Amino acid sequence: MNKTLKGIIGGSVLLAMLGGVFAYLKMTEPEAEDSSSASDSGIETELWHTYSDDINQIEVKNPAGDSYVAVRRFDETKTTDMDGNEKTEEIANYVLKGYEKLPMNTTQIRLLATRVGTVTSSDTVAEDVPESELAKYGLDDPVLVTLSVDDSEDIKFRIGDKAPVGDERYIAMDGSNTVYTVSSFTVEPYFSGINDYLGTTLKEEQAEDDDTMIESVRIERADLDYDFYFVRDPYYEENANGGAMAVHVMEEPVKSLLSADRSADATHGLYGLTAAEVLTPFPKDADLKKAGLDDPFVTVTMKTDDHKTTVFKLGGTYQDADGNTRYYGMLEGIDCIYGFNPDDIVYENLKPEDIISRNVIDMYVWDIGNLEVTAGGEKLQFSVQGESKDDAVVKIDGKEQDADGVERYRQFYSYLLQTKAEDLVMPEDAPKLTGDPLAAVKIDRQDGKRSYDVKFYDAGDMKVYIVIDGEARFRCRKSYVDTLISNMKIYNDADKEFTMSW
């Protein structure tokens, strides 16, 4: 037990109400009190004194709400002292007995102890109140609280109704019918329910020093006839090319590069997963069925390189107390149903076009070893050696280029980088390709780690299919190919600038 924390996180001392005491008592005392109920007007009374972190257990019995037991647990917590030095201290936290396997809001639960270390009444309302008159104070069926304290007797008290004046509540000690008032702030935590003390963060954010990698994420949705499937591509860990491309690529429904910023919630959304509210701890089969979690609307499966699998499910929807639509959801391994705000998740309405990168070719110009472009009866064939414009040796059809020729090559390749996937071609819409392509681009890296084979076929309606490694994955405007052919025709005329739009 960490005694250095005593007096710092101990219970707060309540301030007495110093003015208007007589009027206050007249409004709060019951009518026709006999001599056994005389009021000690204006006198505050210390009801008990202890250190909050000496409270090892808190038992709450609420006849109109949840009853529970909170048990003290000392957790090692890293803190920083006045000089900025990091140190580890033991902090007294509390967990709800029987709910240890569920996330908890330990900061909230600690209020059950930290607000009642030392409690002084605001006033004494009445002494020796007959049992028949306790109902006037809500003490005939009160909230019963028992504080178990290290090396000391239990502290037991009863909490009644709110007093009609001031933010106060009636309270009485166990075994006594003397009625006091204390600040509602002191005893407010005892009126919260179990769900209020359970946590809503189901999976913590990934720590900066955590190098665990997500290997794959599969999103299954009942309203779609395809899955989303993302896999880690180590190539993009080494070749970020400015960070626009995500480390993961989409394998299903269409193979595609991903936008780093727009796909992050889909690939990494289970880290930091937080619910809007706690609904049903330890649900029964009937609870799961009612929530639609026996046949979920969404199932997300994340696999990481530490050989762990995380599964998240969304069921049906419901309206919360404010009329907002929320989803029932569960994270596998946590036996509790939660409510999720649709704005906090992306899985239920995710679309492929929302997260893909529109780039078709993303290779850095000085990483290329060979480039061959064929279109409209024209053909350009380049070979490159070097790491930058300053040392690159560029050849066209085997002929080495001077500095101007190297720059001409870079400008031409810049146009190829503008190739954009304007439309996705879903697997069920994949065409049967016949005849020769309108254009073909073949690219190989110098180090042999990646290559592209991109062809363009007529798709009708002034569009073309973009076919990558034999698969028709995207469409774009046919004018892109027309402009490519035009640029190829003027390639050897350095006085003419390439067209970069279409």
Side-chain angles (χ1 to χ4, degrees), residues 79-87:
T79 60
T80 304
D81 62 20
M82 297 291 290
D83 298 323
N85 300 314
E86 189 176 89
K87 60 180 181 179

Side-chain angles (χ1 to χ4, degrees), residues 83-125:
D83 298 323
N85 300 314
E86 189 176 89
K87 60 180 181 179
T88 300
E89 291 185 310
E90 284 190 334
I91 301 295
N93 282 320
Y94 295 82
V95 295
L96 298 186
K97 193 173 182 179
Y99 294 82
E100 293 87 352
K101 293 183 179 180
L102 301 183
M104 294 193 194
N105 188 340
T106 55
T107 301
Q108 275 304 109
I109 300 175
R110 285 182 66 234
L111 297 179
L112 295 168
T114 57
R115 289 191 183 178
V116 292
T118 296
V119 173
T120 300
S121 68
S122 301
D123 208 347
T124 302
V125 177

